[in-house]
Amino acid sequence: NAGVTQTPKFQVLKTGQSMTLQCAQDMNHNSMYWYRQDPGMGLRLIYYSASEGTTDKGEVPNGYNVSRLNKREFSLRLESAAPSQTSVYFCASSTKTGGFYGYTFGSGTRLTVV
Amino acid sequence: DAKTTQPPSMDCAEGRAANLPCNHSTISGNEYVYWYRQIHSQGPQYIIHGLKNNETNEMASLIITEDRKSSTLILPHATLRDTAVYYCIVAPSSGTYKYIFGTGTRLKVLA
């Protein structure tokens, strides 16, 4: 099915370890986003990419890096994981074409840092 | 900070209409009102959006006041599967939409 695919779905890291969260969309969307959601909270924007080759910081970028590998893929990297980064991470994509201006979200990556 | 204000929680009887309010008194002329919902811990799901006219689709209706400072999402016949957190978001109609999520309204549909 068309949509946004995130891998892995679950991950446990030790403090100081690094990892990359992968996101891919097959809807030919121009813009992609990474959000995090802490328990009982709304989503907070980490980084976004308006188009291939561009990335910008969101509300909470510290401790993260991103790569827009191509139009389909947008990865999020934690260089040195900290317990404060325990969260659910959502990737999303959007486009202005076709008369629809909303986001399509992935199913999330549940990350625990111990 | 989120540009919208929503009640933290609401209950609705199954089969009745659920009316979810949202205040967005600082909305700009080029900003749309979007509604999403999040069931359990799944990714948020788009419901509906509008600029100034009332909108209806297969999921819901959106009523926007004439001054555009508030809106109401209406689920006409709520079911247990509509239990979710509902987010109201305002965002511009052009460019990249950096949604700012608030904490939303937790709707519980009661049997």
Side-chain angles (χ1 to χ4, degrees):
Chain A
N1 291 335
V4 177
T5 302
Q6 292 184 234
T7 56
K9 294 189 182 304
F10 301 92
Q11 184 70 49
V12 179
L13 288 179
K14 294 182 178 179
T15 298
Q17 286 185 319
S18 63
M19 79 161 295
T20 299
L21 281 63
Q22 306 286 352
C23 175
Q25 53 90 10
D26 57 6
M27 298 169 288
N28 202 35
H29 286 178
N30 290 320
S31 302
M32 298 185 73
Y33 314 80
W34 276 105
Y35 283 86
R36 63 175 287 175
Q37 185 174 34
D38 299 331
M41 306 289 288
L43 283 75
R44 292 185 292 170
L45 182 63
I46 305 171
Y47 271 93
Y48 67 99
S49 171
S51 61
E52 185 178 356
T54 69
T55 61
D56 284 288
K57 296 178 180 179
E59 303 170 78
V60 289
N62 291 343
Y64 304 96
N65 287 302
V66 290
S67 295
R68 184 73 183 268
L69 304 171
N70 48 55
K71 192 172 185 178
R72 291 186 63 249
E73 299 173 286
F74 189 39
S75 62
L76 178 72
R77 182 161 179 83
L78 287 70
E79 291 291 351
S80 179
S84 61
Q85 294 178 305
T86 293
S87 191
V88 181
Y89 291 84
F90 290 102
C91 177
S93 67
S94 70
T95 185
K96 279 191 62 180
T97 61
F100 177 74
Y101 302 93
Y103 282 16
T104 301
F105 282 87
S107 57
T109 294
R110 285 147 184 79
L111 176 66
T112 301
V113 182
V114 297
Chain B
D1 290 343
K3 298 179 65 174
T4 62
T5 304
Q6 300 176 251
S9 64
M10 295 180 63
D11 291 340
C12 177
E14 189 177 21
R16 303 296 295 271
N19 296 283
L20 290 86
C22 179
N23 288 321
H24 32 79
S25 58
T26 61
I27 191 170
S28 301
N30 70 338
E31 289 181 321
Y32 281 71
V33 180
Y34 293 82
W35 283 84
Y36 285 76
R37 72 180 182 183
Q38 187 175 27
I39 298 173
H40 287 298
S41 296
Q42 299 175 18
Q45 174 192 24
Y46 165 82
I47 300 172
I48 198 168
H49 73 285
L51 182 62
K52 56 182 179 180
N53 298 319
N54 297 338
E55 302 288 344
T56 295
N57 63 20
E58 65 277 7
M59 292 182 66
S61 295
L62 174 60
I63 308 298
I64 302 174
T65 57
E66 191 169 347
D67 63 9
R68 302 209 322 124
K69 293 184 177 182
S70 66
S71 60
T72 301
L73 178 74
I74 301 172
L75 308 177
H77 306 287
T79 70
L80 298 178
R81 288 178 294 180
D82 292 322
T83 293
V85 178
Y86 288 77
Y87 296 99
C88 168
I89 302 163
V90 295
S93 59
S94 61
T96 297
Y97 317 121
K98 296 171 286 184
Y99 287 168
I100 305 299
F101 284 79
T103 52
T105 295
R106 185 173 296 277
L107 174 69
K108 186 174 182 179
V109 180
L110 305 172

